[in-house]
Amino acid sequence: MSGRLLIVSNRLPVTVSGSDGRPVVRASVGGLATGLRTPHERSHGTWIGWTGELVELGEDGRCELQRQLQKRRLVSVELSAEEIRVYYERIANSVLWPVCHDRLDQLPLRVNGWDVYERVNARFADAVAREWREGDQVWVHDYHLLRVPALVRERIPRARIGFFLHIPFPTPEIFFTLAWRRELVEGMLGADVVGFHTKRHRGHFAAAVHRLLGINAHANEFEYGGRRVRAGVFPMGIDARDFERRAESPAVRSEVTRLRRNDTGPLLLGIDRLDYSKGIPRRLIAVEQLLRRHPEWRERVRFVQIAVPSREGVRAYQHVREEVESLVGRINGTYSVPAWAPIHYVHRSVSRSVLIALYRAADVMVVTPVRDGMNLVAKEFVASRTDNDGVLVLSEFAGAAEELVDSLIVNPYDVDQTAEAMHQALVMAPEERTRRMRALRECVMKNDVQRWAANFLEALGE
Ligand code: ADQ
């Protein structure tokens, strides 16, 4: 690649906190931040995004923040309180997120604010136009910025632009409920390469383009606006070597021993952001069904659910939290005895070493979203299992199911089937567990996040 890479995402790959009015900038550990770190550094490019809501910094603090961001070659796009509320919390998280996860029931009754979404997307495009130099490539990420590729194209017609959607593209029937369906699709078509996690999401996109604009794809390419737009499939991976290395570390080993202490019963594990797309309520009911149908697991099996607080300002997220907590209470109330409870529910984020220790200690990892773009938790579990043990129960509606075919695939809406898969995982013979885990590991270790970024950028460079 000759030019630089300009990465554009809603959030910058850092978190900013404050101490005594001075900013503290820390690198994020998220998948995107890790995967794009190398291309960002190697190409000496810029990363354009929002810092997240800032604590009170004062004039000096703000200057200091700009200096620190500049050192990391990050450019911040600032959002007003109203823009955060409308562009981020309403349009992105309360409208686009539920529609892309097939949850029309979560939509507000009246949707307005597309003008604010457009205005913020235009601000990101302006920032790109200021940074762009001849030969640079632009890589835009996710549903917050669906209009950005077209808006950059307006400003720099000859720019090389890529777009990647991290969440599902729903079927046209569902996508068409959005008043701005046409503008959004045209926004994405501003790119030269539009990437998805799975063939299914790409298929839905192609069907939407056909029905809205009458354009057919040939060999996954559209002729649009006198250009060729390629729709590609790039399943995202994780920093698999890093998980593998940490899983072997003394800190993780001693944490596994601590988790396992005084306990001989098997451990089932769920780890998610607390989001209605992740299928936590039905997963809890499946655990209940497991205890009902297979009483031999009572007072033996433990289900640990870690749910990271997420988007707490959005009402739908408060509802899902209440639903989960009431189910945990009901199921524990029914099945617990003084020395044992079936469900251990933790509503907070855990450190990376505890996270990996949990992956290592689990007998069965239960990943049952009702809809998920990819789901990196499933891959993190696999990468952490250098012991070639542990069983993955995986929803057919997670993008990861297209690749991780050696897991036990379930339909999360079929609670009885999910409960039976948990049972099957618990009684699975060691040889079969090993055979399946080896196959899963081969896939996850090979198709890691570095490879994902390299594949996308190669397609963009063609
Ligand atoms: P998410 O919906 O956030 O991502 P996911 O892919 O599972 O979902 O990634 C979650 C990340 O958060 C993982 O790296 C995980 O380790 C971390 N995490 C989860 N729970 C945690 C906890 N309790 N404590 C600490 N860390 C925790 C969106 C899409 C996905 C897509 C990704 C990447 O919704 O479908 O896979 O982007 O494209």
Side-chain angles (χ1 to χ4, degrees), residues 29-31 97 101 142 164-168 197 236 238 243 271-273 275 277-278 306-308 311 346 348-352 355 359 372-378 380 452:
V29 287
W97 180 272
H101 291 86
D142 228 0
F164 189 82
L165 186 65
H166 290 262
I167 65 174
H197 285 300
M236 187 171 172
I238 57 162
F243 275 89
I271 291 190
D272 315 77
R273 265 187 319 100
D275 192 297
S277 65
K278 303 292 180 183
I306 313 277
V308 198
R311 303 177 191 169
V346 180
R348 78 187 100 82
S349 175
V350 294
S351 71
R352 221 163 159 76
L355 183 82
Y359 290 144
D372 214 333
M374 171 53 69
N375 194 291
L376 299 179
V377 166
E380 293 171 0
W452 166 78

mmCIF file of all heavy atoms in Angstrom, residues 29-31 97 101 142 164-168 197 236 238 243 271-273 275 277-278 306-308 311 346 348-352 355 359 372-378 380 452, ligand 1:
data_model
loop_
_atom_site.group_PDB
_atom_site.id
_atom_site.type_symbol
_atom_site.label_atom_id
_atom_site.label_comp_id
_atom_site.label_asym_id
_atom_site.label_seq_id
_atom_site.Cartn_x
_atom_site.Cartn_y
_atom_site.Cartn_z
ATOM 1 N N VAL A 29 -9.075 -1.858 24.421
ATOM 2 C CA VAL A 29 -8.648 -3.225 24.106
ATOM 3 C C VAL A 29 -9.594 -3.900 23.119
ATOM 4 O O VAL A 29 -9.404 -5.057 22.783
ATOM 5 C CB VAL A 29 -8.549 -4.100 25.386
ATOM 6 C CG1 VAL A 29 -7.359 -3.702 26.198
ATOM 7 C CG2 VAL A 29 -9.843 -4.031 26.179
ATOM 8 N N GLY A 30 -10.613 -3.174 22.649
ATOM 9 C CA GLY A 30 -11.628 -3.778 21.762
ATOM 10 C C GLY A 30 -11.037 -4.389 20.499
ATOM 11 O O GLY A 30 -9.897 -4.102 20.121
ATOM 12 N N GLY A 31 -11.833 -5.237 19.855
ATOM 13 C CA GLY A 31 -11.393 -5.966 18.668
ATOM 14 C C GLY A 31 -10.927 -5.045 17.548
ATOM 15 O O GLY A 31 -9.866 -5.259 16.955
ATOM 16 N N TRP A 97 -29.800 0.005 15.347
ATOM 17 C CA TRP A 97 -29.423 -1.240 16.042
ATOM 18 C C TRP A 97 -30.591 -2.234 16.099
ATOM 19 O O TRP A 97 -30.453 -3.374 15.639
ATOM 20 C CB TRP A 97 -28.864 -0.926 17.436
ATOM 21 C CG TRP A 97 -28.460 -2.157 18.184
ATOM 22 C CD1 TRP A 97 -29.255 -2.927 18.983
ATOM 23 C CD2 TRP A 97 -27.173 -2.802 18.170
ATOM 24 N NE1 TRP A 97 -28.548 -3.994 19.476
ATOM 25 C CE2 TRP A 97 -27.281 -3.952 19.002
ATOM 26 C CE3 TRP A 97 -25.960 -2.523 17.534
ATOM 27 C CZ2 TRP A 97 -26.197 -4.813 19.216
ATOM 28 C CZ3 TRP A 97 -24.887 -3.382 17.760
ATOM 29 C CH2 TRP A 97 -25.011 -4.516 18.582
ATOM 30 N N HIS A 101 -31.038 -5.879 13.983
ATOM 31 C CA HIS A 101 -31.115 -7.126 14.757
ATOM 32 C C HIS A 101 -32.544 -7.676 14.790
ATOM 33 O O HIS A 101 -32.912 -8.418 15.692
ATOM 34 C CB HIS A 101 -30.571 -6.896 16.177
ATOM 35 C CG HIS A 101 -29.085 -6.664 16.195
ATOM 36 N ND1 HIS A 101 -28.522 -5.428 16.014
ATOM 37 C CD2 HIS A 101 -28.042 -7.519 16.338
ATOM 38 C CE1 HIS A 101 -27.194 -5.533 16.044
ATOM 39 N NE2 HIS A 101 -26.881 -6.784 16.241
ATOM 40 N N ASP A 142 -19.034 0.823 10.310
ATOM 41 C CA ASP A 142 -20.249 0.544 11.078
ATOM 42 C C ASP A 142 -21.442 1.485 10.921
ATOM 43 O O ASP A 142 -21.397 2.505 10.239
ATOM 44 C CB ASP A 142 -19.882 0.361 12.545
ATOM 45 C CG ASP A 142 -20.548 -0.901 13.120
ATOM 46 O OD1 ASP A 142 -21.259 -1.572 12.363
ATOM 47 O OD2 ASP A 142 -20.350 -1.191 14.303
ATOM 48 N N PHE A 164 -17.076 -1.084 6.225
ATOM 49 C CA PHE A 164 -17.364 -2.392 6.821
ATOM 50 C C PHE A 164 -18.507 -2.270 7.818
ATOM 51 O O PHE A 164 -18.497 -1.404 8.695
ATOM 52 C CB PHE A 164 -16.129 -2.968 7.530
ATOM 53 C CG PHE A 164 -16.355 -4.398 7.964
ATOM 54 C CD1 PHE A 164 -16.200 -5.439 7.060
ATOM 55 C CD2 PHE A 164 -16.775 -4.687 9.253
ATOM 56 C CE1 PHE A 164 -16.459 -6.749 7.436
ATOM 57 C CE2 PHE A 164 -17.031 -6.003 9.637
ATOM 58 C CZ PHE A 164 -16.866 -7.032 8.733
ATOM 59 N N LEU A 165 -19.500 -3.172 7.671
ATOM 60 C CA LEU A 165 -20.642 -3.190 8.592
ATOM 61 C C LEU A 165 -20.415 -4.295 9.637
ATOM 62 O O LEU A 165 -20.334 -5.472 9.288
ATOM 63 C CB LEU A 165 -21.943 -3.448 7.816
ATOM 64 C CG LEU A 165 -23.216 -3.356 8.658
ATOM 65 C CD1 LEU A 165 -23.445 -1.931 9.175
ATOM 66 C CD2 LEU A 165 -24.439 -3.825 7.867
ATOM 67 N N HIS A 166 -20.336 -3.914 10.902
ATOM 68 C CA HIS A 166 -20.038 -4.893 11.961
ATOM 69 C C HIS A 166 -21.277 -5.620 12.463
ATOM 70 O O HIS A 166 -21.168 -6.599 13.191
ATOM 71 C CB HIS A 166 -19.339 -4.195 13.136
ATOM 72 C CG HIS A 166 -17.948 -3.771 12.808
ATOM 73 N ND1 HIS A 166 -16.845 -4.514 13.162
ATOM 74 C CD2 HIS A 166 -17.472 -2.710 12.111
ATOM 75 C CE1 HIS A 166 -15.754 -3.909 12.724
ATOM 76 N NE2 HIS A 166 -16.108 -2.804 12.077
ATOM 77 N N ILE A 167 -22.447 -5.117 12.115
ATOM 78 C CA ILE A 167 -23.685 -5.745 12.593
ATOM 79 C C ILE A 167 -24.409 -6.338 11.374
ATOM 80 O O ILE A 167 -24.007 -6.100 10.244
ATOM 81 C CB ILE A 167 -24.563 -4.716 13.369
ATOM 82 C CG1 ILE A 167 -25.056 -3.595 12.459
ATOM 83 C CG2 ILE A 167 -23.776 -4.136 14.548
ATOM 84 C CD1 ILE A 167 -26.048 -2.639 13.136
ATOM 85 N N PRO A 168 -25.474 -7.112 11.584
ATOM 86 C CA PRO A 168 -26.126 -7.734 10.427
ATOM 87 C C PRO A 168 -26.761 -6.687 9.512
ATOM 88 O O PRO A 168 -27.192 -5.629 9.982
ATOM 89 C CB PRO A 168 -27.229 -8.597 11.061
ATOM 90 C CG PRO A 168 -26.860 -8.752 12.490
ATOM 91 C CD PRO A 168 -26.093 -7.525 12.867
ATOM 92 N N HIS A 197 -19.724 -9.426 7.533
ATOM 93 C CA HIS A 197 -19.159 -10.610 8.191
ATOM 94 C C HIS A 197 -19.534 -11.898 7.457
ATOM 95 O O HIS A 197 -18.790 -12.868 7.485
ATOM 96 C CB HIS A 197 -19.708 -10.741 9.616
ATOM 97 C CG HIS A 197 -19.132 -9.783 10.610
ATOM 98 N ND1 HIS A 197 -17.788 -9.729 10.904
ATOM 99 C CD2 HIS A 197 -19.730 -8.876 11.425
ATOM 100 C CE1 HIS A 197 -17.599 -8.815 11.859
ATOM 101 N NE2 HIS A 197 -18.745 -8.285 12.184
ATOM 102 N N MET A 236 -14.782 -11.210 10.638
ATOM 103 C CA MET A 236 -13.783 -10.635 11.545
ATOM 104 C C MET A 236 -13.308 -11.670 12.555
ATOM 105 O O MET A 236 -14.078 -12.497 13.032
ATOM 106 C CB MET A 236 -14.404 -9.449 12.281
ATOM 107 C CG MET A 236 -13.404 -8.673 13.112
ATOM 108 S SD MET A 236 -14.189 -7.172 13.715
ATOM 109 C CE MET A 236 -12.959 -6.567 14.830
ATOM 110 N N ILE A 238 -10.247 -12.341 15.951
ATOM 111 C CA ILE A 238 -9.748 -11.698 17.172
ATOM 112 C C ILE A 238 -8.220 -11.753 17.163
ATOM 113 O O ILE A 238 -7.628 -12.391 16.286
ATOM 114 C CB ILE A 238 -10.278 -12.420 18.432
ATOM 115 C CG1 ILE A 238 -9.883 -13.907 18.372
ATOM 116 C CG2 ILE A 238 -11.778 -12.269 18.553
ATOM 117 C CD1 ILE A 238 -9.957 -14.591 19.710
ATOM 118 N N PHE A 243 -4.770 -13.949 23.018
ATOM 119 C CA PHE A 243 -5.604 -14.737 23.948
ATOM 120 C C PHE A 243 -4.885 -16.029 24.339
ATOM 121 O O PHE A 243 -4.891 -16.429 25.502
ATOM 122 C CB PHE A 243 -6.970 -15.036 23.320
ATOM 123 C CG PHE A 243 -7.943 -13.909 23.534
ATOM 124 C CD1 PHE A 243 -8.030 -12.858 22.628
ATOM 125 C CD2 PHE A 243 -8.742 -13.872 24.660
ATOM 126 C CE1 PHE A 243 -8.898 -11.806 22.844
ATOM 127 C CE2 PHE A 243 -9.620 -12.828 24.891
ATOM 128 C CZ PHE A 243 -9.695 -11.786 23.974
ATOM 129 N N ILE A 271 -21.080 -14.845 28.480
ATOM 130 C CA ILE A 271 -20.427 -13.533 28.604
ATOM 131 C C ILE A 271 -20.930 -12.636 27.479
ATOM 132 O O ILE A 271 -20.795 -12.983 26.304
ATOM 133 C CB ILE A 271 -18.893 -13.674 28.532
ATOM 134 C CG1 ILE A 271 -18.394 -14.391 29.786
ATOM 135 C CG2 ILE A 271 -18.223 -12.303 28.364
ATOM 136 C CD1 ILE A 271 -16.906 -14.397 29.979
ATOM 137 N N ASP A 272 -21.547 -11.530 27.849
ATOM 138 C CA ASP A 272 -22.104 -10.637 26.818
ATOM 139 C C ASP A 272 -22.191 -9.221 27.342
ATOM 140 O O ASP A 272 -22.241 -9.006 28.551
ATOM 141 C CB ASP A 272 -23.565 -11.006 26.499
ATOM 142 C CG ASP A 272 -23.808 -12.482 26.338
ATOM 143 O OD1 ASP A 272 -23.877 -13.208 27.361
ATOM 144 O OD2 ASP A 272 -23.943 -12.917 25.208
ATOM 145 N N ARG A 273 -22.267 -8.263 26.417
ATOM 146 C CA ARG A 273 -22.814 -6.971 26.792
ATOM 147 C C ARG A 273 -24.273 -7.216 27.113
ATOM 148 O O ARG A 273 -24.912 -8.052 26.457
ATOM 149 C CB ARG A 273 -22.730 -6.008 25.604
ATOM 150 C CG ARG A 273 -21.519 -5.128 25.592
ATOM 151 C CD ARG A 273 -21.547 -4.078 24.501
ATOM 152 N NE ARG A 273 -22.054 -4.532 23.225
ATOM 153 C CZ ARG A 273 -23.286 -4.307 22.787
ATOM 154 N NH1 ARG A 273 -24.147 -3.606 23.491
ATOM 155 N NH2 ARG A 273 -23.666 -4.761 21.606
ATOM 156 N N ASP A 275 -27.406 -6.810 26.284
ATOM 157 C CA ASP A 275 -28.098 -6.281 25.108
ATOM 158 C C ASP A 275 -29.191 -7.275 24.713
ATOM 159 O O ASP A 275 -28.973 -8.490 24.778
ATOM 160 C CB ASP A 275 -27.086 -6.152 23.954
ATOM 161 C CG ASP A 275 -27.627 -5.346 22.785
ATOM 162 O OD1 ASP A 275 -28.620 -5.780 22.154
ATOM 163 O OD2 ASP A 275 -27.050 -4.288 22.497
ATOM 164 N N SER A 277 -30.088 -8.215 21.970
ATOM 165 C CA SER A 277 -29.749 -9.085 20.841
ATOM 166 C C SER A 277 -29.011 -10.348 21.298
ATOM 167 O O SER A 277 -28.876 -11.304 20.542
ATOM 168 C CB SER A 277 -28.876 -8.329 19.841
ATOM 169 O OG SER A 277 -27.624 -8.013 20.442
ATOM 170 N N LYS A 278 -28.525 -10.349 22.523
ATOM 171 C CA LYS A 278 -27.646 -11.441 22.950
ATOM 172 C C LYS A 278 -28.400 -12.670 23.479
ATOM 173 O O LYS A 278 -27.787 -13.689 23.792
ATOM 174 C CB LYS A 278 -26.646 -10.948 24.007
ATOM 175 C CG LYS A 278 -25.779 -9.767 23.541
ATOM 176 C CD LYS A 278 -24.802 -10.143 22.438
ATOM 177 C CE LYS A 278 -23.949 -8.948 22.005
ATOM 178 N NZ LYS A 278 -23.039 -9.249 20.892
ATOM 179 N N ILE A 306 -21.903 -13.381 32.933
ATOM 180 C CA ILE A 306 -21.333 -12.049 33.100
ATOM 181 C C ILE A 306 -22.009 -11.149 32.068
ATOM 182 O O ILE A 306 -21.981 -11.451 30.878
ATOM 183 C CB ILE A 306 -19.809 -12.031 32.824
ATOM 184 C CG1 ILE A 306 -19.088 -13.179 33.525
ATOM 185 C CG2 ILE A 306 -19.201 -10.663 33.140
ATOM 186 C CD1 ILE A 306 -18.750 -12.942 34.952
ATOM 187 N N ALA A 307 -22.614 -10.079 32.532
ATOM 188 C CA ALA A 307 -23.314 -9.160 31.617
ATOM 189 C C ALA A 307 -22.750 -7.762 31.838
ATOM 190 O O ALA A 307 -22.956 -7.168 32.893
ATOM 191 C CB ALA A 307 -24.807 -9.193 31.894
ATOM 192 N N VAL A 308 -22.033 -7.262 30.841
ATOM 193 C CA VAL A 308 -21.439 -5.930 30.987
ATOM 194 C C VAL A 308 -22.515 -4.878 30.781
ATOM 195 O O VAL A 308 -23.228 -4.919 29.779
ATOM 196 C CB VAL A 308 -20.370 -5.669 29.910
ATOM 197 C CG1 VAL A 308 -19.470 -4.514 30.320
ATOM 198 C CG2 VAL A 308 -19.578 -6.895 29.603
ATOM 199 N N ARG A 311 -25.222 0.802 27.234
ATOM 200 C CA ARG A 311 -26.240 1.748 26.747
ATOM 201 C C ARG A 311 -27.351 1.973 27.775
ATOM 202 O O ARG A 311 -28.540 1.897 27.455
ATOM 203 C CB ARG A 311 -26.852 1.228 25.444
ATOM 204 C CG ARG A 311 -25.781 0.998 24.413
ATOM 205 C CD ARG A 311 -26.305 0.433 23.138
ATOM 206 N NE ARG A 311 -25.186 -0.011 22.306
ATOM 207 C CZ ARG A 311 -25.294 -0.739 21.211
ATOM 208 N NH1 ARG A 311 -26.487 -1.099 20.791
ATOM 209 N NH2 ARG A 311 -24.233 -1.094 20.521
ATOM 210 N N VAL A 346 -23.452 -11.711 37.210
ATOM 211 C CA VAL A 346 -22.552 -10.591 37.507
ATOM 212 C C VAL A 346 -22.849 -9.473 36.514
ATOM 213 O O VAL A 346 -22.653 -9.652 35.309
ATOM 214 C CB VAL A 346 -21.072 -11.034 37.372
ATOM 215 C CG1 VAL A 346 -20.138 -9.874 37.668
ATOM 216 C CG2 VAL A 346 -20.782 -12.215 38.284
ATOM 217 N N ARG A 348 -21.408 -6.485 35.676
ATOM 218 C CA ARG A 348 -20.349 -5.496 35.536
ATOM 219 C C ARG A 348 -19.277 -6.080 34.627
ATOM 220 O O ARG A 348 -19.300 -7.264 34.319
ATOM 221 C CB ARG A 348 -19.785 -5.100 36.901
ATOM 222 C CG ARG A 348 -18.825 -6.031 37.561
ATOM 223 C CD ARG A 348 -18.505 -5.552 38.970
ATOM 224 N NE ARG A 348 -19.292 -6.297 39.936
ATOM 225 C CZ ARG A 348 -18.959 -7.504 40.394
ATOM 226 N NH1 ARG A 348 -17.877 -8.100 39.972
ATOM 227 N NH2 ARG A 348 -19.712 -8.140 41.264
ATOM 228 N N SER A 349 -18.379 -5.228 34.203
ATOM 229 C CA SER A 349 -17.305 -5.694 33.333
ATOM 230 C C SER A 349 -16.256 -6.397 34.195
ATOM 231 O O SER A 349 -16.103 -6.071 35.363
ATOM 232 C CB SER A 349 -16.726 -4.466 32.647
ATOM 233 O OG SER A 349 -15.627 -4.833 31.897
ATOM 234 N N VAL A 350 -15.587 -7.377 33.643
ATOM 235 C CA VAL A 350 -14.525 -8.042 34.403
ATOM 236 C C VAL A 350 -13.193 -7.803 33.681
ATOM 237 O O VAL A 350 -13.171 -7.487 32.498
ATOM 238 C CB VAL A 350 -14.777 -9.562 34.549
ATOM 239 C CG1 VAL A 350 -16.016 -9.821 35.395
ATOM 240 C CG2 VAL A 350 -14.904 -10.243 33.201
ATOM 241 N N SER A 351 -12.095 -7.944 34.418
ATOM 242 C CA SER A 351 -10.784 -7.689 33.809
ATOM 243 C C SER A 351 -10.488 -8.769 32.764
ATOM 244 O O SER A 351 -11.111 -9.826 32.745
ATOM 245 C CB SER A 351 -9.705 -7.728 34.883
ATOM 246 O OG SER A 351 -9.539 -9.070 35.301
ATOM 247 N N ARG A 352 -9.513 -8.466 31.920
ATOM 248 C CA ARG A 352 -9.171 -9.411 30.864
ATOM 249 C C ARG A 352 -8.669 -10.737 31.427
ATOM 250 O O ARG A 352 -8.973 -11.792 30.891
ATOM 251 C CB ARG A 352 -8.091 -8.784 29.993
ATOM 252 C CG ARG A 352 -8.304 -9.030 28.536
ATOM 253 C CD ARG A 352 -7.470 -8.053 27.754
ATOM 254 N NE ARG A 352 -7.224 -8.515 26.401
ATOM 255 C CZ ARG A 352 -8.135 -8.478 25.430
ATOM 256 N NH1 ARG A 352 -9.344 -8.053 25.679
ATOM 257 N NH2 ARG A 352 -7.817 -8.884 24.219
ATOM 258 N N LEU A 355 -11.642 -12.623 32.636
ATOM 259 C CA LEU A 355 -12.398 -13.058 31.454
ATOM 260 C C LEU A 355 -11.785 -14.337 30.869
ATOM 261 O O LEU A 355 -12.473 -15.337 30.631
ATOM 262 C CB LEU A 355 -12.363 -11.932 30.420
ATOM 263 C CG LEU A 355 -13.145 -12.137 29.138
ATOM 264 C CD1 LEU A 355 -14.614 -11.806 29.372
ATOM 265 C CD2 LEU A 355 -12.609 -11.248 28.020
ATOM 266 N N TYR A 359 -13.068 -18.286 30.608
ATOM 267 C CA TYR A 359 -13.073 -19.106 29.385
ATOM 268 C C TYR A 359 -12.373 -20.439 29.644
ATOM 269 O O TYR A 359 -12.789 -21.480 29.174
ATOM 270 C CB TYR A 359 -12.339 -18.383 28.239
ATOM 271 C CG TYR A 359 -13.040 -17.166 27.654
ATOM 272 C CD1 TYR A 359 -12.288 -16.059 27.219
ATOM 273 C CD2 TYR A 359 -14.414 -17.118 27.478
ATOM 274 C CE1 TYR A 359 -12.894 -14.946 26.650
ATOM 275 C CE2 TYR A 359 -15.029 -16.006 26.905
ATOM 276 C CZ TYR A 359 -14.261 -14.925 26.498
ATOM 277 O OH TYR A 359 -14.865 -13.820 25.929
ATOM 278 N N ASP A 372 -26.717 -11.640 15.778
ATOM 279 C CA ASP A 372 -25.413 -11.050 16.078
ATOM 280 C C ASP A 372 -24.606 -10.965 14.786
ATOM 281 O O ASP A 372 -24.610 -11.925 14.007
ATOM 282 C CB ASP A 372 -24.662 -11.943 17.090
ATOM 283 C CG ASP A 372 -23.789 -11.140 18.061
ATOM 284 O OD1 ASP A 372 -23.359 -10.037 17.687
ATOM 285 O OD2 ASP A 372 -23.541 -11.636 19.165
ATOM 286 N N GLY A 373 -23.944 -9.840 14.552
ATOM 287 C CA GLY A 373 -23.152 -9.681 13.333
ATOM 288 C C GLY A 373 -22.146 -10.812 13.225
ATOM 289 O O GLY A 373 -22.142 -11.585 12.265
ATOM 290 N N MET A 374 -21.272 -10.916 14.218
ATOM 291 C CA MET A 374 -20.296 -11.992 14.255
ATOM 292 C C MET A 374 -20.377 -12.714 15.590
ATOM 293 O O MET A 374 -20.795 -13.836 15.701
ATOM 294 C CB MET A 374 -18.885 -11.406 14.014
ATOM 295 C CG MET A 374 -17.717 -12.346 14.237
ATOM 296 S SD MET A 374 -17.833 -13.900 13.353
ATOM 297 C CE MET A 374 -17.631 -13.393 11.672
ATOM 298 N N ASN A 375 -19.989 -12.074 16.651
ATOM 299 C CA ASN A 375 -19.820 -12.523 18.033
ATOM 300 C C ASN A 375 -18.382 -12.978 18.256
ATOM 301 O O ASN A 375 -17.971 -14.079 17.884
ATOM 302 C CB ASN A 375 -20.780 -13.629 18.457
ATOM 303 C CG ASN A 375 -20.752 -13.767 19.979
ATOM 304 O OD1 ASN A 375 -19.753 -14.202 20.548
ATOM 305 N ND2 ASN A 375 -21.797 -13.329 20.631
ATOM 306 N N LEU A 376 -17.646 -12.094 18.884
ATOM 307 C CA LEU A 376 -16.224 -12.352 19.126
ATOM 308 C C LEU A 376 -15.995 -13.170 20.394
ATOM 309 O O LEU A 376 -14.966 -13.816 20.533
ATOM 310 C CB LEU A 376 -15.463 -11.027 19.205
ATOM 311 C CG LEU A 376 -15.533 -10.176 17.935
ATOM 312 C CD1 LEU A 376 -14.756 -8.867 18.124
ATOM 313 C CD2 LEU A 376 -14.992 -10.919 16.718
ATOM 314 N N VAL A 377 -16.983 -13.146 21.313
ATOM 315 C CA VAL A 377 -16.834 -13.925 22.552
ATOM 316 C C VAL A 377 -16.610 -15.404 22.225
ATOM 317 O O VAL A 377 -15.746 -16.060 22.810
ATOM 318 C CB VAL A 377 -18.077 -13.717 23.455
ATOM 319 C CG1 VAL A 377 -18.144 -14.745 24.571
ATOM 320 C CG2 VAL A 377 -18.057 -12.306 24.044
ATOM 321 N N ALA A 378 -17.370 -15.927 21.267
ATOM 322 C CA ALA A 378 -17.235 -17.341 20.889
ATOM 323 C C ALA A 378 -15.796 -17.629 20.449
ATOM 324 O O ALA A 378 -15.205 -18.657 20.807
ATOM 325 C CB ALA A 378 -18.203 -17.671 19.758
ATOM 326 N N GLU A 380 -13.082 -15.826 21.233
ATOM 327 C CA GLU A 380 -12.154 -15.641 22.356
ATOM 328 C C GLU A 380 -12.106 -16.898 23.220
ATOM 329 O O GLU A 380 -11.039 -17.308 23.691
ATOM 330 C CB GLU A 380 -12.589 -14.436 23.201
ATOM 331 C CG GLU A 380 -12.447 -13.113 22.459
ATOM 332 C CD GLU A 380 -13.082 -11.929 23.184
ATOM 333 O OE1 GLU A 380 -13.647 -12.108 24.278
ATOM 334 O OE2 GLU A 380 -13.007 -10.817 22.644
ATOM 335 N N TRP A 452 -7.958 -10.503 8.984
ATOM 336 C CA TRP A 452 -9.203 -9.830 8.548
ATOM 337 C C TRP A 452 -8.884 -8.453 7.965
ATOM 338 O O TRP A 452 -9.316 -8.104 6.869
ATOM 339 C CB TRP A 452 -10.145 -9.721 9.756
ATOM 340 C CG TRP A 452 -11.306 -8.791 9.571
ATOM 341 C CD1 TRP A 452 -12.447 -9.056 8.874
ATOM 342 C CD2 TRP A 452 -11.446 -7.457 10.103
ATOM 343 N NE1 TRP A 452 -13.296 -7.960 8.945
ATOM 344 C CE2 TRP A 452 -12.706 -6.976 9.690
ATOM 345 C CE3 TRP A 452 -10.639 -6.645 10.891
ATOM 346 C CZ2 TRP A 452 -13.179 -5.701 10.031
ATOM 347 C CZ3 TRP A 452 -11.110 -5.378 11.236
ATOM 348 C CH2 TRP A 452 -12.357 -4.922 10.801
HETATM 349 P P1 ADQ B 1 -20.500 -6.536 20.296
HETATM 350 O O1 ADQ B 1 -21.988 -6.525 20.174
HETATM 351 O O2 ADQ B 1 -19.961 -5.686 21.367
HETATM 352 O O3 ADQ B 1 -19.792 -6.170 18.916
HETATM 353 P P2 ADQ B 1 -18.904 -9.083 20.515
HETATM 354 O O4 ADQ B 1 -18.440 -9.370 19.146
HETATM 355 O O5 ADQ B 1 -19.305 -10.301 21.258
HETATM 356 O O6 ADQ B 1 -20.160 -8.108 20.573
HETATM 357 O O7 ADQ B 1 -17.725 -8.366 21.281
HETATM 358 C C1 ADQ B 1 -17.832 -8.064 22.646
HETATM 359 C C2 ADQ B 1 -16.443 -7.755 23.229
HETATM 360 O O8 ADQ B 1 -16.622 -7.255 24.548
HETATM 361 C C3 ADQ B 1 -15.564 -8.975 23.323
HETATM 362 O O9 ADQ B 1 -14.267 -8.659 22.938
HETATM 363 C C4 ADQ B 1 -15.610 -9.362 24.809
HETATM 364 O O10 ADQ B 1 -14.421 -9.906 25.310
HETATM 365 C C5 ADQ B 1 -15.882 -8.049 25.483
HETATM 366 N N1 ADQ B 1 -16.717 -8.342 26.662
HETATM 367 C C6 ADQ B 1 -17.947 -8.868 26.614
HETATM 368 N N2 ADQ B 1 -18.373 -9.048 27.862
HETATM 369 C C7 ADQ B 1 -17.393 -8.648 28.706
HETATM 370 C C8 ADQ B 1 -17.257 -8.588 30.122
HETATM 371 N N3 ADQ B 1 -18.232 -8.992 30.950
HETATM 372 N N4 ADQ B 1 -16.135 -8.108 30.628
HETATM 373 C C9 ADQ B 1 -15.158 -7.705 29.815
HETATM 374 N N5 ADQ B 1 -15.227 -7.742 28.493
HETATM 375 C C10 ADQ B 1 -16.339 -8.198 27.929
HETATM 376 C C11 ADQ B 1 -20.227 -5.786 17.583
HETATM 377 C C12 ADQ B 1 -21.231 -6.722 16.920
HETATM 378 C C13 ADQ B 1 -20.698 -8.140 16.885
HETATM 379 C C14 ADQ B 1 -19.343 -8.164 16.175
HETATM 380 C C15 ADQ B 1 -18.407 -7.098 16.728
HETATM 381 C C16 ADQ B 1 -17.164 -6.966 15.867
HETATM 382 O O11 ADQ B 1 -22.482 -6.688 17.593
HETATM 383 O O12 ADQ B 1 -21.596 -9.014 16.242
HETATM 384 O O13 ADQ B 1 -18.747 -9.439 16.359
HETATM 385 O O14 ADQ B 1 -19.039 -5.829 16.758
HETATM 386 O O15 ADQ B 1 -17.455 -6.721 14.539
#
